[in-house]
PDB file of all heavy atoms in Angstrom:
ATOM      1  N   ASP P  13      -2.174  -5.368   0.177  1.00  0.00           N
ATOM      2  CA  ASP P  13      -1.578  -4.121  -0.087  1.00  0.00           C
ATOM      3  C   ASP P  13      -0.924  -4.058  -1.354  1.00  0.00           C
ATOM      4  O   ASP P  13      -0.605  -5.148  -1.997  1.00  0.00           O
ATOM      5  CB  ASP P  13      -0.522  -3.812   1.094  1.00  0.00           C
ATOM      6  CG  ASP P  13       0.193  -2.605   0.893  1.00  0.00           C
ATOM      7  OD1 ASP P  13      -0.433  -1.456   0.749  1.00  0.00           O
ATOM      8  OD2 ASP P  13       1.479  -2.551   0.750  1.00  0.00           O
ATOM      9  N   MET P  14      -0.802  -2.879  -1.940  1.00  0.00           N
ATOM     10  CA  MET P  14      -0.160  -2.678  -3.237  1.00  0.00           C
ATOM     11  C   MET P  14       1.354  -2.354  -3.242  1.00  0.00           C
ATOM     12  O   MET P  14       2.241  -3.110  -3.539  1.00  0.00           O
ATOM     13  CB  MET P  14      -1.011  -1.755  -4.161  1.00  0.00           C
ATOM     14  CG  MET P  14      -0.401  -1.630  -5.675  1.00  0.00           C
ATOM     15  SD  MET P  14      -1.316  -0.617  -6.701  1.00  0.00           S
ATOM     16  CE  MET P  14      -1.013   1.032  -6.106  1.00  0.00           C
ATOM     17  N   ASP P  15       1.556  -1.116  -2.821  1.00  0.00           N
ATOM     18  CA  ASP P  15       2.980  -0.542  -2.966  1.00  0.00           C
ATOM     19  C   ASP P  15       3.898  -1.168  -1.907  1.00  0.00           C
ATOM     20  O   ASP P  15       3.553  -1.082  -0.716  1.00  0.00           O
ATOM     21  CB  ASP P  15       2.978   0.912  -2.721  1.00  0.00           C
ATOM     22  CG  ASP P  15       2.192   1.700  -3.737  1.00  0.00           C
ATOM     23  OD1 ASP P  15       2.672   1.653  -4.908  1.00  0.00           O
ATOM     24  OD2 ASP P  15       1.162   2.400  -3.488  1.00  0.00           O
ATOM     25  N   GLY P  16       4.942  -1.833  -2.352  1.00  0.00           N
ATOM     26  CA  GLY P  16       5.845  -2.472  -1.520  1.00  0.00           C
ATOM     27  C   GLY P  16       5.557  -3.954  -1.141  1.00  0.00           C
ATOM     28  O   GLY P  16       6.320  -4.698  -0.630  1.00  0.00           O
ATOM     29  N   THR P  17       4.214  -4.356  -1.417  1.00  0.00           N
ATOM     30  CA  THR P  17       3.832  -5.679  -1.162  1.00  0.00           C
ATOM     31  C   THR P  17       3.619  -6.493  -2.495  1.00  0.00           C
ATOM     32  O   THR P  17       4.324  -7.587  -2.677  1.00  0.00           O
ATOM     33  CB  THR P  17       2.404  -5.697  -0.487  1.00  0.00           C
ATOM     34  OG1 THR P  17       2.586  -5.100   0.871  1.00  0.00           O
ATOM     35  CG2 THR P  17       2.006  -7.095  -0.199  1.00  0.00           C
ATOM     36  N   LEU P  18       2.925  -5.988  -3.421  1.00  0.00           N
ATOM     37  CA  LEU P  18       2.778  -6.628  -4.708  1.00  0.00           C
ATOM     38  C   LEU P  18       3.627  -5.945  -5.709  1.00  0.00           C
ATOM     39  O   LEU P  18       4.231  -6.613  -6.621  1.00  0.00           O
ATOM     40  CB  LEU P  18       1.295  -6.589  -5.179  1.00  0.00           C
ATOM     41  CG  LEU P  18       0.297  -7.467  -4.489  1.00  0.00           C
ATOM     42  CD1 LEU P  18      -1.092  -7.164  -4.998  1.00  0.00           C
ATOM     43  CD2 LEU P  18       0.619  -8.996  -4.801  1.00  0.00           C
ATOM     44  N   LEU P  19       3.809  -4.705  -5.621  1.00  0.00           N
ATOM     45  CA  LEU P  19       4.622  -3.951  -6.706  1.00  0.00           C
ATOM     46  C   LEU P  19       5.825  -3.201  -5.894  1.00  0.00           C
ATOM     47  O   LEU P  19       5.680  -2.813  -4.861  1.00  0.00           O
ATOM     48  CB  LEU P  19       3.735  -2.935  -7.284  1.00  0.00           C
ATOM     49  CG  LEU P  19       2.750  -3.329  -8.201  1.00  0.00           C
ATOM     50  CD1 LEU P  19       1.871  -2.227  -8.823  1.00  0.00           C
ATOM     51  CD2 LEU P  19       3.148  -4.297  -9.286  1.00  0.00           C
ATOM     52  N   ASP P  20       7.027  -3.240  -6.479  1.00  0.00           N
ATOM     53  CA  ASP P  20       8.171  -2.663  -6.006  1.00  0.00           C
ATOM     54  C   ASP P  20       8.228  -1.205  -6.361  1.00  0.00           C
ATOM     55  O   ASP P  20       9.138  -0.722  -6.919  1.00  0.00           O
ATOM     56  CB  ASP P  20       9.380  -3.402  -6.493  1.00  0.00           C
ATOM     57  CG  ASP P  20      10.597  -3.250  -5.590  1.00  0.00           C
ATOM     58  OD1 ASP P  20      10.429  -2.647  -4.467  1.00  0.00           O
ATOM     59  OD2 ASP P  20      11.741  -3.543  -6.011  1.00  0.00           O
ATOM     60  N   SER P  21       7.192  -0.467  -5.937  1.00  0.00           N
ATOM     61  CA  SER P  21       6.851   0.818  -6.418  1.00  0.00           C
ATOM     62  C   SER P  21       7.340   1.893  -5.456  1.00  0.00           C
ATOM     63  O   SER P  21       7.390   3.040  -5.736  1.00  0.00           O
ATOM     64  CB  SER P  21       5.356   1.160  -6.681  1.00  0.00           C
ATOM     65  OG  SER P  21       4.544   0.568  -5.610  1.00  0.00           O
ATOM     66  N   GLU P  22       7.706   1.410  -4.213  1.00  0.00           N
ATOM     67  CA  GLU P  22       8.179   2.377  -3.137  1.00  0.00           C
ATOM     68  C   GLU P  22       9.523   3.016  -3.664  1.00  0.00           C
ATOM     69  O   GLU P  22       9.689   4.216  -3.418  1.00  0.00           O
ATOM     70  CB  GLU P  22       8.581   1.641  -1.855  1.00  0.00           C
ATOM     71  CG  GLU P  22       7.247   1.092  -1.153  1.00  0.00           C
ATOM     72  CD  GLU P  22       6.397   2.331  -0.563  1.00  0.00           C
ATOM     73  OE1 GLU P  22       6.872   3.439  -0.685  1.00  0.00           O
ATOM     74  OE2 GLU P  22       5.475   1.952  -0.025  1.00  0.00           O
ATOM     75  N   LYS P  23      10.270   2.401  -4.591  1.00  0.00           N
ATOM     76  CA  LYS P  23      11.418   3.036  -5.121  1.00  0.00           C
ATOM     77  C   LYS P  23      11.118   4.160  -6.019  1.00  0.00           C
ATOM     78  O   LYS P  23      11.869   5.134  -6.149  1.00  0.00           O
ATOM     79  CB  LYS P  23      12.498   1.984  -5.719  1.00  0.00           C
ATOM     80  CG  LYS P  23      12.917   0.962  -4.744  1.00  0.00           C
ATOM     81  CD  LYS P  23      13.682  -0.184  -5.528  1.00  0.00           C
ATOM     82  CE  LYS P  23      14.344  -1.126  -4.477  1.00  0.00           C
ATOM     83  NZ  LYS P  23      13.246  -1.728  -3.817  1.00  0.00           N
ATOM     84  N   LEU P  24       9.939   4.026  -6.709  1.00  0.00           N
ATOM     85  CA  LEU P  24       9.514   5.102  -7.681  1.00  0.00           C
ATOM     86  C   LEU P  24       8.813   6.271  -6.890  1.00  0.00           C
ATOM     87  O   LEU P  24       9.184   7.548  -7.173  1.00  0.00           O
ATOM     88  CB  LEU P  24       8.465   4.592  -8.575  1.00  0.00           C
ATOM     89  CG  LEU P  24       8.930   3.396  -9.457  1.00  0.00           C
ATOM     90  CD1 LEU P  24       7.780   2.888 -10.416  1.00  0.00           C
ATOM     91  CD2 LEU P  24      10.051   3.799 -10.340  1.00  0.00           C
ATOM     92  N   TRP P  25       8.266   5.862  -5.691  1.00  0.00           N
ATOM     93  CA  TRP P  25       7.782   6.943  -4.898  1.00  0.00           C
ATOM     94  C   TRP P  25       8.814   7.693  -4.209  1.00  0.00           C
ATOM     95  O   TRP P  25       8.797   8.852  -4.007  1.00  0.00           O
ATOM     96  CB  TRP P  25       6.845   6.323  -3.828  1.00  0.00           C
ATOM     97  CG  TRP P  25       5.490   6.154  -4.146  1.00  0.00           C
ATOM     98  CD1 TRP P  25       4.887   4.885  -4.498  1.00  0.00           C
ATOM     99  CD2 TRP P  25       4.406   7.078  -4.273  1.00  0.00           C
ATOM    100  NE1 TRP P  25       3.551   5.022  -4.862  1.00  0.00           N
ATOM    101  CE2 TRP P  25       3.243   6.283  -4.717  1.00  0.00           C
ATOM    102  CE3 TRP P  25       4.275   8.415  -4.091  1.00  0.00           C
ATOM    103  CZ2 TRP P  25       1.964   7.012  -4.963  1.00  0.00           C
ATOM    104  CZ3 TRP P  25       3.092   9.064  -4.322  1.00  0.00           C
ATOM    105  CH2 TRP P  25       1.971   8.256  -4.697  1.00  0.00           C
ATOM    106  N   ASP P  26      10.049   6.998  -3.926  1.00  0.00           N
ATOM    107  CA  ASP P  26      11.199   7.710  -3.424  1.00  0.00           C
ATOM    108  C   ASP P  26      11.677   8.776  -4.275  1.00  0.00           C
ATOM    109  O   ASP P  26      11.947   9.833  -3.825  1.00  0.00           O
ATOM    110  CB  ASP P  26      12.349   6.481  -3.274  1.00  0.00           C
ATOM    111  CG  ASP P  26      12.380   5.890  -1.961  1.00  0.00           C
ATOM    112  OD1 ASP P  26      11.669   6.293  -1.023  1.00  0.00           O
ATOM    113  OD2 ASP P  26      13.057   4.930  -1.949  1.00  0.00           O
ATOM    114  N   VAL P  27      11.812   8.526  -5.578  1.00  0.00           N
ATOM    115  CA  VAL P  27      12.253   9.510  -6.603  1.00  0.00           C
ATOM    116  C   VAL P  27      11.240  10.745  -6.500  1.00  0.00           C
ATOM    117  O   VAL P  27      11.752  11.814  -6.354  1.00  0.00           O
ATOM    118  CB  VAL P  27      12.148   8.864  -7.901  1.00  0.00           C
ATOM    119  CG1 VAL P  27      12.551  10.002  -8.995  1.00  0.00           C
ATOM    120  CG2 VAL P  27      13.297   7.818  -8.088  1.00  0.00           C
ATOM    121  N   ALA P  28      10.027  10.505  -6.548  1.00  0.00           N
ATOM    122  CA  ALA P  28       8.973  11.569  -6.706  1.00  0.00           C
ATOM    123  C   ALA P  28       8.998  12.455  -5.351  1.00  0.00           C
ATOM    124  O   ALA P  28       8.966  13.614  -5.481  1.00  0.00           O
ATOM    125  CB  ALA P  28       7.576  11.078  -6.943  1.00  0.00           C
ATOM    126  N   ILE P  29       8.878  11.844  -4.240  1.00  0.00           N
ATOM    127  CA  ILE P  29       8.813  12.568  -3.040  1.00  0.00           C
ATOM    128  C   ILE P  29      10.187  13.250  -2.570  1.00  0.00           C
ATOM    129  O   ILE P  29      10.150  14.401  -2.021  1.00  0.00           O
ATOM    130  CB  ILE P  29       8.329  11.728  -1.741  1.00  0.00           C
ATOM    131  CG1 ILE P  29       9.235  10.515  -1.531  1.00  0.00           C
ATOM    132  CG2 ILE P  29       6.923  11.234  -2.167  1.00  0.00           C
ATOM    133  CD1 ILE P  29       8.796   9.795  -0.277  1.00  0.00           C
ATOM    134  N   ASN P  30      11.313  12.703  -3.017  1.00  0.00           N
ATOM    135  CA  ASN P  30      12.456  13.274  -2.791  1.00  0.00           C
ATOM    136  C   ASN P  30      12.658  14.596  -3.630  1.00  0.00           C
ATOM    137  O   ASN P  30      13.034  15.711  -3.248  1.00  0.00           O
ATOM    138  CB  ASN P  30      13.706  12.387  -3.059  1.00  0.00           C
ATOM    139  CG  ASN P  30      14.121  11.643  -1.866  1.00  0.00           C
ATOM    140  OD1 ASN P  30      14.663  12.224  -0.917  1.00  0.00           O
ATOM    141  ND2 ASN P  30      13.873  10.430  -1.805  1.00  0.00           N
ATOM    142  N   GLU P  31      12.182  14.513  -4.942  1.00  0.00           N
ATOM    143  CA  GLU P  31      12.150  15.649  -5.858  1.00  0.00           C
ATOM    144  C   GLU P  31      11.194  16.730  -5.286  1.00  0.00           C
ATOM    145  O   GLU P  31      11.581  17.887  -5.327  1.00  0.00           O
ATOM    146  CB  GLU P  31      11.778  15.213  -7.143  1.00  0.00           C
ATOM    147  CG  GLU P  31      12.849  14.428  -7.980  1.00  0.00           C
ATOM    148  CD  GLU P  31      12.460  13.941  -9.277  1.00  0.00           C
ATOM    149  OE1 GLU P  31      11.205  14.159  -9.710  1.00  0.00           O
ATOM    150  OE2 GLU P  31      13.252  13.247 -10.033  1.00  0.00           O
ATOM    151  N   LEU P  32      10.015  16.329  -4.728  1.00  0.00           N
ATOM    152  CA  LEU P  32       9.098  17.218  -4.255  1.00  0.00           C
ATOM    153  C   LEU P  32       9.768  17.965  -3.114  1.00  0.00           C
ATOM    154  O   LEU P  32       9.642  19.232  -2.889  1.00  0.00           O
ATOM    155  CB  LEU P  32       7.805  16.522  -3.851  1.00  0.00           C
ATOM    156  CG  LEU P  32       6.720  17.322  -3.050  1.00  0.00           C
ATOM    157  CD1 LEU P  32       6.197  18.454  -3.941  1.00  0.00           C
ATOM    158  CD2 LEU P  32       5.593  16.519  -2.551  1.00  0.00           C
ATOM    159  N   SER P  33      10.381  17.234  -2.123  1.00  0.00           N
ATOM    160  CA  SER P  33      10.854  17.797  -1.038  1.00  0.00           C
ATOM    161  C   SER P  33      12.021  18.910  -1.483  1.00  0.00           C
ATOM    162  O   SER P  33      11.940  20.073  -0.789  1.00  0.00           O
ATOM    163  CB  SER P  33      11.627  16.879  -0.113  1.00  0.00           C
ATOM    164  OG  SER P  33      12.021  17.469   1.049  1.00  0.00           O
ATOM    165  N   LEU P  34      12.819  18.627  -2.459  1.00  0.00           N
ATOM    166  CA  LEU P  34      13.741  19.520  -2.909  1.00  0.00           C
ATOM    167  C   LEU P  34      13.078  20.913  -3.609  1.00  0.00           C
ATOM    168  O   LEU P  34      13.487  21.886  -3.269  1.00  0.00           O
ATOM    169  CB  LEU P  34      14.619  18.856  -4.024  1.00  0.00           C
ATOM    170  CG  LEU P  34      15.750  17.935  -3.378  1.00  0.00           C
ATOM    171  CD1 LEU P  34      16.369  17.079  -4.570  1.00  0.00           C
ATOM    172  CD2 LEU P  34      16.750  18.687  -2.637  1.00  0.00           C
ATOM    173  N   ASN P  35      11.984  20.473  -4.232  1.00  0.00           N
ATOM    174  CA  ASN P  35      11.300  21.659  -4.919  1.00  0.00           C
ATOM    175  C   ASN P  35      10.591  22.530  -3.803  1.00  0.00           C
ATOM    176  O   ASN P  35      10.484  23.781  -4.117  1.00  0.00           O
ATOM    177  CB  ASN P  35      10.178  21.145  -5.753  1.00  0.00           C
ATOM    178  CG  ASN P  35      10.704  20.548  -7.164  1.00  0.00           C
ATOM    179  OD1 ASN P  35      11.890  20.769  -7.358  1.00  0.00           O
ATOM    180  ND2 ASN P  35       9.953  19.748  -7.851  1.00  0.00           N
ATOM    181  N   LEU P  36      10.322  21.949  -2.622  1.00  0.00           N
ATOM    182  CA  LEU P  36       9.706  22.664  -1.595  1.00  0.00           C
ATOM    183  C   LEU P  36      10.651  23.444  -0.773  1.00  0.00           C
ATOM    184  O   LEU P  36      10.169  24.232   0.092  1.00  0.00           O
ATOM    185  CB  LEU P  36       8.738  21.861  -0.841  1.00  0.00           C
ATOM    186  CG  LEU P  36       7.536  21.259  -1.416  1.00  0.00           C
ATOM    187  CD1 LEU P  36       6.852  20.289  -0.544  1.00  0.00           C
ATOM    188  CD2 LEU P  36       6.539  22.438  -1.739  1.00  0.00           C
ATOM    189  N   GLY P  37      11.899  23.060  -0.889  1.00  0.00           N
ATOM    190  CA  GLY P  37      12.889  23.860  -0.138  1.00  0.00           C
ATOM    191  C   GLY P  37      14.146  23.160   0.547  1.00  0.00           C
ATOM    192  O   GLY P  37      14.943  23.715   1.127  1.00  0.00           O
ATOM    193  N   GLY P  38      14.151  21.659   0.531  1.00  0.00           N
ATOM    194  CA  GLY P  38      15.208  21.067   1.106  1.00  0.00           C
ATOM    195  C   GLY P  38      15.177  19.581   0.862  1.00  0.00           C
ATOM    196  O   GLY P  38      14.121  19.063   0.577  1.00  0.00           O
ATOM    197  N   PRO P  39      16.403  19.007   1.022  1.00  0.00           N
ATOM    198  CA  PRO P  39      16.437  17.450   0.883  1.00  0.00           C
ATOM    199  C   PRO P  39      15.535  16.769   2.061  1.00  0.00           C
ATOM    200  O   PRO P  39      15.412  17.214   3.091  1.00  0.00           O
ATOM    201  CB  PRO P  39      17.947  17.152   0.891  1.00  0.00           C
ATOM    202  CG  PRO P  39      18.337  18.282   1.873  1.00  0.00           C
ATOM    203  CD  PRO P  39      17.683  19.500   1.478  1.00  0.00           C
ATOM    204  N   MET P  40      15.217  15.550   1.676  1.00  0.00           N
ATOM    205  CA  MET P  40      14.420  14.803   2.619  1.00  0.00           C
ATOM    206  C   MET P  40      15.393  13.815   3.428  1.00  0.00           C
ATOM    207  O   MET P  40      16.328  13.143   2.810  1.00  0.00           O
ATOM    208  CB  MET P  40      13.426  13.795   1.896  1.00  0.00           C
ATOM    209  CG  MET P  40      12.619  12.855   2.869  1.00  0.00           C
ATOM    210  SD  MET P  40      11.320  12.150   1.845  1.00  0.00           S
ATOM    211  CE  MET P  40      10.215  13.572   1.425  1.00  0.00           C
ATOM    212  N   THR P  41      15.213  13.784   4.732  1.00  0.00           N
ATOM    213  CA  THR P  41      16.130  13.125   5.601  1.00  0.00           C
ATOM    214  C   THR P  41      15.581  11.418   5.536  1.00  0.00           C
ATOM    215  O   THR P  41      14.391  11.315   5.296  1.00  0.00           O
ATOM    216  CB  THR P  41      16.013  13.568   7.010  1.00  0.00           C
ATOM    217  OG1 THR P  41      14.801  13.323   7.636  1.00  0.00           O
ATOM    218  CG2 THR P  41      16.336  15.037   7.146  1.00  0.00           C
ATOM    219  N   PRO P  42      16.456  10.667   5.931  1.00  0.00           N
ATOM    220  CA  PRO P  42      16.134   9.371   5.909  1.00  0.00           C
ATOM    221  C   PRO P  42      14.919   9.032   6.933  1.00  0.00           C
ATOM    222  O   PRO P  42      14.078   8.296   6.781  1.00  0.00           O
ATOM    223  CB  PRO P  42      17.342   8.452   6.351  1.00  0.00           C
ATOM    224  CG  PRO P  42      18.478   9.405   5.927  1.00  0.00           C
ATOM    225  CD  PRO P  42      17.930  10.791   6.040  1.00  0.00           C
ATOM    226  N   ALA P  43      14.889   9.817   8.083  1.00  0.00           N
ATOM    227  CA  ALA P  43      13.911   9.507   9.080  1.00  0.00           C
ATOM    228  C   ALA P  43      12.496   9.955   8.493  1.00  0.00           C
ATOM    229  O   ALA P  43      11.517   9.336   8.825  1.00  0.00           O
ATOM    230  CB  ALA P  43      14.163  10.411  10.327  1.00  0.00           C
ATOM    231  N   THR P  44      12.580  11.094   7.874  1.00  0.00           N
ATOM    232  CA  THR P  44      11.264  11.518   7.172  1.00  0.00           C
ATOM    233  C   THR P  44      10.693  10.523   6.090  1.00  0.00           C
ATOM    234  O   THR P  44       9.560  10.235   6.055  1.00  0.00           O
ATOM    235  CB  THR P  44      11.484  12.909   6.520  1.00  0.00           C
ATOM    236  OG1 THR P  44      11.809  13.891   7.492  1.00  0.00           O
ATOM    237  CG2 THR P  44      10.155  13.362   5.778  1.00  0.00           C
ATOM    238  N   ARG P  45      11.681   9.928   5.281  1.00  0.00           N
ATOM    239  CA  ARG P  45      11.365   9.016   4.355  1.00  0.00           C
ATOM    240  C   ARG P  45      10.720   7.775   4.940  1.00  0.00           C
ATOM    241  O   ARG P  45       9.701   7.255   4.525  1.00  0.00           O
ATOM    242  CB  ARG P  45      12.537   8.591   3.405  1.00  0.00           C
ATOM    243  CG  ARG P  45      12.249   7.565   2.439  1.00  0.00           C
ATOM    244  CD  ARG P  45      11.061   7.927   1.445  1.00  0.00           C
ATOM    245  NE  ARG P  45      10.679   6.875   0.547  1.00  0.00           N
ATOM    246  CZ  ARG P  45       9.449   6.536   0.464  1.00  0.00           C
ATOM    247  NH1 ARG P  45       8.372   6.996   1.222  1.00  0.00           N
ATOM    248  NH2 ARG P  45       9.114   5.531  -0.398  1.00  0.00           N
ATOM    249  N   HIS P  46      11.369   7.307   6.089  1.00  0.00           N
ATOM    250  CA  HIS P  46      10.770   6.145   6.688  1.00  0.00           C
ATOM    251  C   HIS P  46       9.378   6.476   7.317  1.00  0.00           C
ATOM    252  O   HIS P  46       8.585   5.475   7.289  1.00  0.00           O
ATOM    253  CB  HIS P  46      11.713   5.737   7.880  1.00  0.00           C
ATOM    254  CG  HIS P  46      12.996   5.054   7.361  1.00  0.00           C
ATOM    255  ND1 HIS P  46      13.913   4.667   8.195  1.00  0.00           N
ATOM    256  CD2 HIS P  46      13.374   4.656   6.205  1.00  0.00           C
ATOM    257  CE1 HIS P  46      14.983   4.030   7.616  1.00  0.00           C
ATOM    258  NE2 HIS P  46      14.559   4.063   6.288  1.00  0.00           N
ATOM    259  N   ALA P  47       9.193   7.695   7.769  1.00  0.00           N
ATOM    260  CA  ALA P  47       7.819   8.000   8.285  1.00  0.00           C
ATOM    261  C   ALA P  47       6.814   7.905   7.162  1.00  0.00           C
ATOM    262  O   ALA P  47       5.517   7.823   7.467  1.00  0.00           O
ATOM    263  CB  ALA P  47       7.963   9.263   8.977  1.00  0.00           C
ATOM    264  N   LEU P  48       7.176   8.017   5.910  1.00  0.00           N
ATOM    265  CA  LEU P  48       6.271   8.173   4.886  1.00  0.00           C
ATOM    266  C   LEU P  48       5.928   6.709   4.319  1.00  0.00           C
ATOM    267  O   LEU P  48       4.864   6.613   3.476  1.00  0.00           O
ATOM    268  CB  LEU P  48       6.792   8.939   3.671  1.00  0.00           C
ATOM    269  CG  LEU P  48       7.000  10.412   3.885  1.00  0.00           C
ATOM    270  CD1 LEU P  48       7.764  11.122   2.802  1.00  0.00           C
ATOM    271  CD2 LEU P  48       5.787  11.164   4.202  1.00  0.00           C
TER     272      LEU P  48
END
Side-chain angles (χ1 to χ4, degrees):
D13 173 56
M14 184 174 75
D15 296 297
T17 298
L18 288 172
L19 296 179
D20 202 11
S21 44
E22 290 291 356
K23 294 177 177 61
L24 301 180
W25 280 101
D26 272 348
V27 172
I29 62 175
N30 273 289
E31 290 178 355
L32 174 62
S33 184
L34 287 169
N35 288 345
L36 289 172
M40 180 170 293
T41 67
T44 298
R45 178 59 187 125
H46 284 177
L48 296 174

